[in-house]
Structures are given as C-alpha cells and as structure tokens.
Amino acid sequence: MSGCACIECVQQSDAAVVERWGGFSHTLGPGMNFVLWPVYQVAGTLSLKVQQLEVKCETKTLDNVFIEVIVAIQYNVLQEKVREAFYELTNPRRQITAYVYDVVRSTLPRNTLDRAFESKEEIAVAIKKSLSATMHRFGYLIVNALVTDMTPDSRVRAAMNEINASKRLKEASAEKAEGD
C-alpha cells in the first residue's frame, strides 16, 4: 500500500485534529505540517481565539415583572484539550446557551426587579462559575461572563417613567410653594 505526503497548513490561532484510520491520532499546531494520506487525515480545525456568544433570556422576577437579560459569554478552546473540544460536543454554543438559561432562570426569580438590577455582577459570577466547571471538561475555558443588559417589559418601563415623572412634579410643586 502506498500513500502520499500531503502538506497541511494550520493558521496561527488554530489547531487541526488528525485522525488515523478514522480514530483520533494527534493535533497539529500552526504552520506547515505533513500528513501521510490516506492513513492520516485532518478531520477538522478549531479556533483557539477567544470567541463571544450573546445569549438573550427572558424570565420573571419575584415581583412578577418579565425582564429580558442579555449575557455575553467569552470563551476559547484550551490548547491541551483540543481532542475533547472537537469530539465531545456537537454544538458548544448551544450547550453554553442552555447553561446560561439555567442560571438566569434559577437566579432572577428570587429577586425583585430593583434587586435584579443591583445584582448584575452576582448573576455574572454565578454564570461564569457554573459554565467554567462544566465546560472545562469539554475543553473550553470560560474567560468571562458579562450581564450586558436587563430590560423590563415596555409597559413596566413606561409605568416606572410615569412614577419618576410624578415624583419630580411633586418635588417641583413643593419647592415652588416654599419659594412663594
């Protein structure tokens, strides 16, 4: 049986997965690499760059207000765990999204709307902690989790704006009465 030596170029921020007769063999680093085809072949590549995934999640607070939360997850593949990252998850973005939903929907319903806005950092820390523990065994490092936006239902926002406007008008009237 004969084969041919094929040149495989791997980009600087990527890792290539090489299979031998259909089973994992090794990974290739950046630069020019030689692969003895058909015994070995490149099954695919993974980016080692930090990637960002934005997850939108809607949930209800303790005071029955629906709120949309946007969470940004920054993650990357660990170079020493390229094999796990390539073979163990079909869709890591969907897996991360599911964990974010789980944490947000289990954390926010215990808080009132006002407390939810105050606890953005706590929610982000809880998401990162939960994701880090789970995704590490699949070859992913969770670099950061950021709660970038919390938006209550539009009717709730309008009602809150009316309350604030009413308070300001009341204060202005009191000050005007004191001035007369």
Side-chain angles (χ1 to χ4, degrees), residues 2-177:
S2 64
C4 90
C6 297
I7 297 174
E8 189 69 40
C9 290
V10 179
Q11 297 299 315
Q12 178 61 40
S13 58
D14 290 350
V17 175
V18 177
E19 292 179 344
R20 180 174 188 236
W21 300 120
F24 175 78
S25 173
H26 61 280
T27 61
L28 299 176
M32 185 171 70
N33 298 277
F34 293 95
V35 178
L36 183 61
W37 185 85
V39 176
Y40 294 96
Q41 67 181 25
V42 175
T45 59
L46 286 174
S47 175
L48 301 176
K49 292 179 183 177
V50 174
Q51 300 174 59
Q52 181 162 307
L53 171 65
E54 282 198 356
V55 179
K56 290 182 181 181
C57 179
E58 186 175 59
T59 190
K60 192 164 79 169
T61 62
L62 185 63
D63 45 359
N64 293 323
V65 175
F66 280 93
I67 186 170
E68 182 179 74
V69 181
I70 299 176
V71 179
I73 305 297
Q74 297 166 344
Y75 67 96
N76 67 311
V77 173
L78 294 164
Q79 183 138 14
E80 65 275 7
K81 291 195 166 222
V82 169
R83 180 187 181 282
E84 290 86 347
F86 189 79
Y87 289 106
E88 293 189 20
L89 288 179
T90 304
N91 190 336
R93 295 173 76 85
R94 199 174 294 162
Q95 187 84 20
I96 291 169
T97 299
Y99 278 101
V100 170
Y101 282 171
D102 183 52
V103 173
V104 169
R105 290 181 175 159
S106 67
T107 305
L108 277 178
R110 291 186 263 139
N111 296 319
T112 62
L113 180 62
D114 291 336
R115 176 73 181 114
F117 279 102
E118 294 169 4
S119 64
K120 284 171 67 170
E121 183 63 30
E122 294 168 28
I123 296 165
V125 168
I127 292 169
K128 183 177 180 188
K129 183 179 176 184
S130 173
L131 275 175
S132 292
T134 304
M135 296 305 289
H136 188 268
R137 67 177 182 205
F138 296 119
Y140 289 88
L141 171 69
I142 303 302
V143 177
N144 212 349
L146 305 164
V147 177
T148 58
D149 194 19
M150 285 187 170
T151 309
D153 183 76
S154 60
R155 291 172 295 178
V156 173
R157 282 196 320 256
M160 291 170 75
N161 287 337
E162 280 184 40
I163 291 168
N164 284 334
S166 179
K167 283 181 185 177
R168 287 191 181 100
L169 286 172
K170 186 177 177 181
E171 289 172 5
S173 295
E175 286 181 25
K176 185 176 179 184

